[in-house]
Amino acid sequence: MKFSIITVTYNAESTLERTLQSVAQQTYPHIEHLIIDGASKDNTLEIARRYPHAIVHSEPDKGLYDAMNKGLRLATGDYLCFLNAGDTLHSKETLAHIAATCKADKSTGTMPAILYGDTHIVDANGHFLRNRRLTPPEHLTWRSFKEGMLVCHQAFYVNREIALPYDLQYRFSADFDWCIRCMKEGARRGMSNRYVKEPLADYLAEGMTTANHKASLKERFRIMAKHYGCFTAIAQHIWFIFRAFIKK
């Protein structure tokens, strides 16, 4: 089984190397690491090309999710995952552990649609800050995301057969919509999702969605209304506000 790790970059010289090292240090051998660069003007490309395992594509793009769609088209692995510049795989054995859990479903004979696990949040030096507030359930379906994005896309490995393109109408939360649509497609094909009971990724706290939090929340409401209905989206957001208040 082969993994495609896709890293989208633009002027990422300060964060990319830790991601490259993380992939290069994996004990599992069957990996392609795609660097989808938006024509960086700093030393991003020079850093990426120091690593023989990295497959570098650089050209202007129309933003993050357009670049991620390019990565989807180029990926050849059986499962793919998006790992941002600055994010890392949790340990040197992470992909080996995921591969060990990836077996065909006994009842249907199909491979899992999604392989997923938990994520740690780290600082710019890679030091652990905290666990995510939301944790992955042992039994994940597309309906699970009514509770929010229970799985970070950095710990969300999608079977390439069901990996749909990102919807470019969303600028900040297309990953939320994408995860739901991929799980829907897997369910339509009768494929199960498989929980890997360990952290799979270390997520750098300063992502684009974090920097654009309000805009991201508005998009997430629209996405929830699309997939679960407007009444459910409103009810869930009332619950989200109450949950945040009681946890202060």
Side-chain angles (χ1 to χ4, degrees), residues 7-142:
T7 300
V8 171
T9 60
Y10 182 70
N11 293 345
E13 65 179 8
S14 64
T15 56
L16 177 60
E17 191 144 26
R18 58 193 285 177
T19 307
L20 289 161
Q21 289 176 351
S22 171
V23 177
Q25 291 168 358
Q26 290 297 298
T27 59
Y28 189 79
H30 308 300
I31 311 168
E32 68 176 4
H33 190 189
L34 298 170
I35 308 299
I36 310 299
D37 182 74
S40 289
K41 296 176 174 59
D42 63 359
N43 293 319
T44 296
L45 295 176
E46 179 184 338
I47 292 168
R49 287 169 177 151
R50 292 177 196 160
Y51 288 80
H53 78 276
I55 304 168
V56 181
H57 297 267
S58 183
E59 63 181 10
D61 56 51
K62 298 176 183 178
L64 174 63
Y65 296 115
D66 177 50
M68 292 168 91
N69 279 341
K70 290 180 184 180
L72 287 174
R73 292 192 293 269
L74 291 168
T76 63
D78 301 291
Y79 286 85
L80 56 90
C81 180
F82 288 91
L83 198 64
N84 297 339
D87 299 337
T88 62
L89 298 164
H90 183 67
S91 76
K92 295 179 182 179
E93 290 78 32
T94 291
L95 293 183
H97 291 167
I98 297 172
T101 68
C102 187
K103 299 176 182 178
D105 187 277
K106 291 182 180 178
S107 59
T108 65
T110 60
M111 297 297 285
I114 310 296
L115 305 165
Y116 68 98
D118 212 340
T119 307
H120 285 171
I121 298 175
V122 299
D123 65 17
N125 296 312
H127 298 145
F128 174 79
L129 293 176
R130 61 188 182 276
N131 293 313
R132 292 185 75 228
R133 179 174 53 81
L134 300 177
T135 56
E138 290 201 22
H139 303 286
L140 181 74
T141 74
W142 68 268

Side-chain angles (χ1 to χ4, degrees), residues 129-192:
L129 293 176
R130 61 188 182 276
N131 293 313
R132 292 185 75 228
R133 179 174 53 81
L134 300 177
T135 56
E138 290 201 22
H139 303 286
L140 181 74
T141 74
W142 68 268
R143 294 180 179 85
S144 302
F145 273 34
K146 285 190 294 186
E147 303 298 326
M149 196 162 181
L150 300 180
V151 185
C152 268
H153 78 264
Q154 291 92 336
F156 192 86
Y157 288 73
V158 179
N159 190 313
R160 188 163 58 88
E161 292 184 4
I162 62 160
L164 303 170
Y166 285 83
D167 188 337
L168 300 185
Q169 71 172 297
Y170 304 116
R171 291 186 59 206
F172 305 110
S173 292
D175 51 346
F176 184 57
D177 172 71
W178 181 74
C179 289
I180 296 171
R181 289 191 295 114
C182 288
M183 288 188 286
K184 278 186 170 181
E185 180 62 17
R188 186 185 70 81
R189 299 191 189 195
M191 302 164 74
S192 62

